[in-house]
Amino acid sequence: MRYWLMKSEPDVYSIDDLAAEPDQTAYWEGIRNYQARNFIRDDMAVNDLAFFYHSRCDVPGIVGTMRIVREAYPDHTAFDASETYFDPKSDPDNPRWFMVDIKFERKFSHIVSLADLKREPALSQMKVVQRGNRLSITPVSPDEWAFILSMVDGE
DNA sequence: GCCAACGTTGGC
DNA sequence: GCCAACGTTGGC
């Protein structure tokens, strides 16, 4: 089982939005980057855990966790011209983009901000703290996962 | 709002 | 296949 970090702009879709969904479950739409697609299509599995990261906001950072509850399947929002993430080049017979379903696990009592993450030498290899990183889905090592939870819950 | 970083597109 | 132009991401 693997760990991930998944970015979303809270103005578009926040962890509170996920927690408010029926069954606290939703599909993760709009991945339009090949590297991120390959991660979800080829490497993500049911029961993997992911950090929910808020980007492009006053205080960017990790706000909670979620669980992968359905493995990758075609992102139907790419087929619909009325959708934000419509991509005419994605063909239903040969889909270019994929999505997974995720379920809310927990919201942290306080955010683990990007500044907090950058302060920790143990996390210096994380993609999210590296300059110029734009990838919306990145792997997290078991050690990084445990370290960040210890920042939230104490030792 | 600015702009660096980086991915994609398309002319050649 | 190169690379300039363009579009997007996302921290600040």
Side-chain angles (χ1 to χ4, degrees):
Chain A
M1 121 161 202
R2 296 177 185 241
Y3 301 98
W4 304 94
L5 181 145
M6 300 170 72
K7 296 179 186 173
S8 183
E9 298 178 28
D11 290 348
V12 178
Y13 194 82
S14 73
I15 194 165
D16 292 328
D17 294 324
L18 177 59
E21 299 277 7
D23 203 30
Q24 300 190 315
T25 301
Y27 53 77
W28 195 265
E29 69 178 17
I31 293 176
R32 297 292 180 269
N33 168 284
Y34 290 104
Q35 240 187 306
R37 180 207 64 186
N38 292 347
F39 279 137
I40 70 162
R41 190 189 59 184
D42 304 336
D43 298 326
M44 255 187 199
V46 169
N47 285 326
D48 284 2
L49 295 172
F51 287 127
F52 197 123
Y53 180 93
H54 282 175
S55 65
R56 257 183 187 271
C57 52
D58 287 350
V59 183
I62 298 170
V63 290
T65 67
M66 56 196 169
R67 181 178 297 272
I68 311 306
V69 293
R70 182 179 170 187
E71 69 181 14
Y73 58 103
D75 183 341
H76 55 83
T77 67
F79 308 140
D80 182 346
S82 70
E83 289 278 355
T84 309
Y85 299 108
F86 174 59
D87 180 356
K89 288 180 245 172
S90 189
D91 178 349
D93 294 327
N94 183 22
R96 179 177 293 199
W97 306 116
F98 288 78
M99 54 176 32
V100 292
D101 287 356
I102 37 90
K103 179 166 188 171
F104 175 83
E105 282 265 313
R106 67 180 288 204
K107 182 181 176 181
F108 297 154
S109 54
H110 56 272
I111 188 170
V112 180
S113 71
L114 179 61
D116 294 336
L117 298 173
K118 285 182 169 172
R119 209 174 287 125
E120 300 292 348
L123 304 178
S124 62
Q125 297 307 306
M126 289 187 77
K127 286 279 180 248
V128 74
V129 304
Q130 289 164 15
R131 179 182 174 80
N133 161 65
R134 292 169 42 184
L135 202 52
S136 64
I137 306 235
T138 50
V140 172
S141 77
D143 285 347
E144 291 160 349
W145 182 271
F147 189 93
I148 291 166
L149 289 186
S150 78
M151 293 169 74
V152 176
D153 298 325
E155 299 301 326

